[in-house]
Amino acid sequence: MKQSLLYSGKAKDIYATEEDEVIISCYKDQATAFNGLKKEEVVGKGRLNNQISSLIFDKLNRAGIATHFLEKLSDTEQLNKKVAIIPLEVVLRNYTAGSFSKRFGVAEGIALAQPIVEFYYKKDELDDPFINDEHVAFLNLATTEEIAYIKEETRKINRLLTAWFSDIGLTLIDFKLEFGKDKDGKILLADEFSPDNCRLWDADGNHMDKDVFRRGLGEMTDVYQVVWEKLQELD
Ligand code: TMP
Ligand code: ASP
């Protein structure tokens, strides 16, 4: 049962439960972009992201990835292991897009010879600045060994996700992950995996992700619904 509200984020509220090490994540019908500058109520988004993220985390658990996901409770709620989130946005890019294309002045959609992992310091007041491994160490966000583990795990997750999305006709362009530590200090994949935090292009190059909202390309729930329907074709 939901108890006190522990944290209210842009896309989710986190509640305590009777169990110390277990929390409930409640997905909201709210979309934001550009660090909250653009913000709208989007009916149905909470349900779609909870469904999509639950399906993907369940598959990752079954593939042997250590995650915080326990079970889906309702349309908009899931049960998660409690972790202390490491304030790092771990981005993996398979193709150029978004801020990478802007930063380096390159077109979007160019395949990278090797996937590139980037770190951003998760701090709204600073607009989540781009940082490197040495900054991660300076900021005491993770040790050298932990950084190596997080990168390796991110690449492993990428191989799984790229194959699953390819099976349903979608190209995984890039994505953002967050990791946290449980009470024993074990690093678990946390947060969510949904079209809010990745880029997915269909065979015609259509955006099937939050870029629809960021760039005003249409109704985000329409494309999230397509992603959800396709994902259910996977076993
Ligand atoms: P970027 O190209 O804007 O840096 O985004 C890279 C990936 O990270 C993309 O899949 C969207 C995702 N992302 C988030 O999940 N949260 C954020 O705050 C930002 C800026 C990007
Ligand atoms: N997640 C950020 C926000 O909610 C930015 C983004 O996804 O574009 O404002």
Side-chain angles (χ1 to χ4, degrees):
M1 276 298 107
K2 267 194 319 210
Q3 298 197 331
S4 60
L5 178 69
L6 294 176
Y7 175 79
S8 183
K10 290 194 277 263
K12 294 181 288 296
D13 287 332
I14 309 295
Y15 291 89
T17 66
E18 298 86 354
E19 279 187 76
D20 241 13
E21 298 311 322
V22 177
I23 53 124
I24 291 173
S25 298
C26 186
Y27 283 64
K28 301 195 218 187
D29 277 350
Q30 175 170 281
T32 65
F34 316 116
N35 198 11
L37 280 180
K38 181 171 180 175
K39 181 166 152 182
E40 275 174 32
E41 189 196 0
V42 179
V43 176
K45 172 178 179 282
R47 177 181 56 82
L48 283 162
N49 277 358
N50 183 45
Q51 285 170 320
I52 291 169
S53 196
S54 294
L55 183 148
I56 288 180
F57 269 72
D58 176 55
K59 283 180 75 66
L60 289 171
N61 278 344
R62 287 190 282 128
I65 301 293
T67 86
H68 73 154
F69 181 75
L70 293 169
E71 64 175 298
K72 180 165 159 288
L73 290 179
S74 70
D75 272 4
T76 55
E77 295 167 314
Q78 57 178 259
L79 208 57
N80 298 141
K81 291 181 193 163
K82 188 194 243 174
V83 293
I85 291 286
I86 300 169
L88 262 189
E89 302 211 334
V90 183
V91 169
L92 183 141
R93 301 181 188 272
N94 291 309
Y95 290 79
T96 60
S99 73
F100 186 97
S101 288
K102 271 213 186 85
R103 177 172 297 118
F104 300 114
V106 292
E108 297 195 298
I110 301 166
L112 297 166
Q114 297 290 336
I116 292 178
V117 176
E118 299 176 344
F119 291 127
Y120 295 82
Y121 182 26
K122 187 173 152 67
K123 201 160 176 74
D124 281 347
E125 311 89 275
L126 300 178
D127 253 343
D128 300 344
F130 185 44
I131 58 174
N132 68 22
D133 297 27
E134 294 174 45
H135 298 128
V136 174
F138 161 73
L139 293 164
N140 282 319
L141 304 181
T143 64
T144 310
E145 294 72 30
E146 288 170 343
I147 295 170
Y149 174 80
I150 286 171
K151 282 187 170 176
E152 197 40 56
E153 209 59 5
T154 300
R155 292 183 191 279
K156 220 188 271 178
I157 292 165
N158 179 50
R159 289 192 285 274
L160 291 164
L161 292 173
T162 294
W164 297 336
F165 282 114
S166 161
D167 284 347
I168 55 171
L170 296 173
T171 302
L172 181 60
I173 301 292
D174 58 28
F175 59 85
K176 183 266 297 180
L177 301 178
E178 293 181 25
F179 292 84
K181 282 187 189 172
D182 70 9
K183 64 170 193 323
D184 304 319
K186 185 173 166 54
I187 296 180
L188 305 180
L189 177 67
D191 195 48
E192 68 180 272
F193 195 96
S194 73
D196 264 18
N197 56 273
C198 69
R199 288 193 171 94
L200 295 166
W201 292 5
D202 73 9
D204 300 320
N206 293 310
H207 297 275
M208 306 300 288
D209 54 58
K210 195 162 128 183
D211 273 348
V212 166
F213 173 74
R214 293 189 189 96
R215 302 178 186 193
L217 302 175
E219 208 57 67
M220 68 193 303
T221 44
D222 289 350
V223 301
Y224 285 31
Q225 178 69 29
V226 173
V227 173
W228 166 234
E229 281 168 17
K230 284 176 182 282
L231 278 170
Q232 289 172 89
E233 295 166 14
L234 296 171
D235 47 76

